[in-house]
Amino acid sequence: MAVIFSKSSGRMRVQYIGESKDATTVKGAPAKLESSKEYECMEKEYHSQLFVRMHIGGGEKVKVKRSELEKVS
């Protein structure tokens, strides 16, 4: 039996609905979050955590409250 992984590997698209603001990445670098912009996050985190690590590009991640995110269909 072969194991087949999806192309998205558990990631989902979310829209940041909070206010645009300056933030700090998980690694400590400065970042900018823009309201109404789409980002990626891990689906498992989105459904089970209060804070979600969003992928903002370049391998960087920012932790945000799940209440500031909206699932993109």
Side-chain angles (χ1 to χ4, degrees), residues 1 3 5 7 9 14 23 25-27 32-34 46 48 53 56 59 63 65-66 71 73:
M1 177 182 222
V3 178
F5 295 99
K7 186 177 180 182
S9 63
V14 290
T25 65
V26 175
K27 294 180 181 177
K32 179 87 172 155
L33 294 178
E34 298 177 32
Y46 181 82
S48 65
R53 290 176 295 174
I56 59 169
K63 272 188 165 181
K65 287 184 179 180
R66 185 176 63 212
K71 189 175 183 178
S73 54

Side-chain angles (χ1 to χ4, degrees), residues 14 40-42 45-47 49-54 62-66 69:
V14 290
E40 279 190 343
C41 71
M42 297 302 288
E45 275 189 16
Y46 181 82
H47 292 294
Q49 303 292 324
L50 180 60
F51 287 92
V52 179
R53 290 176 295 174
M54 286 191 322
V62 174
K63 272 188 165 181
V64 295
K65 287 184 179 180
R66 185 176 63 212
L69 300 175

